[in-house]
Amino acid sequence: PRYSCPTTIAMASPCCPTNVKPAINDYKGVGKNVTIDDCLEIYIIGDAVVNKDTGNNAIIVATDVFGATNHAKQFADALAQATGYVVCMPTFIKDPWDPSNIPPTKSGKFPAGVEPADGTDCLVNWILNSHDLRIDRKDQIEAVKSFLAEEYNVTNKVGAVGMCWGAKVCFNAAGKGLIDAVAACHGSFLT
């Protein structure tokens, strides 16, 4: 395994639950899944012709380490409905952490390369050391913006909302001038 689980790492924040399972729901998104550039999957909701003459705005949602869960899709759908913007959620993490394995148990499901272990130290170590969670997302953000401009007439502002780990993606993109506005929901690992 690429990641072993030490026993000395604490959770990133005291508000991160360590002894309860996340809420799971059976929400079915109203958006659609598409693949751009033959490799980047995105969940998208919105109408390409809403502002045909003036162009559309968009919001990119960067998920937490659990990826495009039903909850994340429900959030994206509600955001699109509330704003009238095109909302897309790229799959930045190819092998996300399975939310059913919180708190982590040795018998649970782990991303590839993670040595199964009990306790949250394993999760935090994976977050801190996974190449998939550390790489710059500049190229992917640019690909998403190009897709949005071509397919959804997004020629105005592009904002981003990051959930937990996803906040890092959004703030890094804003720092590079790729995003016009950023919001974070329980931002973490920002330094």
Side-chain angles (χ1 to χ4, degrees):
R2 293 180 303 188
Y3 314 110
S4 60
C5 299
T7 57
T8 58
I9 297 176
M11 273 307 276
S13 167
C15 61
C16 293
T18 59
N19 60 351
V20 295
K21 291 204 174 288
I24 305 295
N25 73 20
D26 59 357
Y27 179 81
K28 302 295 183 225
V30 296
K32 62 182 179 179
N33 295 305
V34 297
T35 302
I36 61 173
D37 289 351
D38 297 322
C39 64
L40 182 60
E41 295 176 19
I42 63 173
Y43 175 81
I44 191 159
I45 180 168
D47 189 346
V49 296
V50 169
N51 296 306
K52 185 177 179 184
D53 298 326
T54 61
N56 288 316
N57 295 307
I59 300 171
I60 297 171
V61 175
T63 68
D64 56 23
V65 297
F66 303 115
T69 62
N70 292 339
H71 278 295
K73 289 178 182 177
Q74 190 172 16
F75 174 78
D77 291 349
L79 193 57
Q81 183 178 9
T83 63
Y85 295 172
V86 176
V87 176
C88 71
M89 188 167 48
T91 302
F92 290 124
I93 304 171
K94 295 296 182 196
D95 191 12
W97 195 275
D98 188 330
S100 69
N101 196 17
I102 295 293
T105 61
K106 196 171 190 172
S107 62
K109 183 179 176 189
F110 290 86
V114 176
E115 181 181 333
D118 292 329
T120 56
D121 292 342
C122 190
L123 170 63
V124 174
N125 190 52
W126 173 72
I127 292 169
L128 294 173
N129 294 296
S130 171
H131 174 74
D132 204 25
L133 298 174
R134 296 174 55 118
I135 60 173
D136 185 356
R137 302 298 176 170
K138 178 180 181 288
D139 292 344
Q140 291 169 316
I141 297 286
E142 288 175 339
V144 168
K145 286 181 64 178
S146 292
F147 170 79
L148 291 171
E150 293 168 15
E151 301 295 326
Y152 285 83
N153 194 32
V154 173
T155 57
N156 290 328
K157 302 289 184 182
V158 177
V161 176
M163 297 180 227
C164 198
W165 168 85
K168 183 175 185 170
V169 172
C170 297
F171 282 111
N172 285 342
K176 292 175 173 37
L178 300 172
I179 301 295
D180 298 301
V182 174
C185 303
H186 181 61
S188 64
F189 301 100
L190 297 176
T191 57

